[in-house]
Amino acid sequence: MLGSIGGALIFILDVWAIAMIFSSNETTGQKVFWILLVVVLPLIGFLIWFFAGPRPPSKA
């Protein structure tokens, strides 16, 4: 039970990360790199993206 909840949470966070990567101002190649990282390594890729990945444009 706990494993399935953890898996669902990681899936939701990865989908959110991919949506944020799509909305960033990075080049297509960089977006593909970050998306592949999040998809291939779901937990580690999400953590790397969260701390070092591209961000969506700020609303100034």
Side-chain angles (χ1 to χ4, degrees):
M1 176 81 175
L2 186 59
S4 61
I5 292 172
L9 180 62
I10 291 172
F11 176 76
I12 291 167
L13 290 173
D14 284 350
V15 169
W16 175 70
I18 291 170
M20 294 295 106
I21 293 167
F22 271 121
S23 67
S24 72
N25 286 333
E26 298 298 323
T27 64
T28 302
Q30 290 174 334
K31 287 180 182 182
V32 169
F33 167 76
W34 283 108
I35 290 170
L36 284 175
L37 183 67
V38 170
V39 169
V40 172
L41 303 169
L43 180 59
I44 304 291
F46 172 79
L47 291 173
I48 294 170
W49 167 81
F50 187 78
F51 291 108
R55 298 285 178 245
S58 62
K59 298 176 183 175

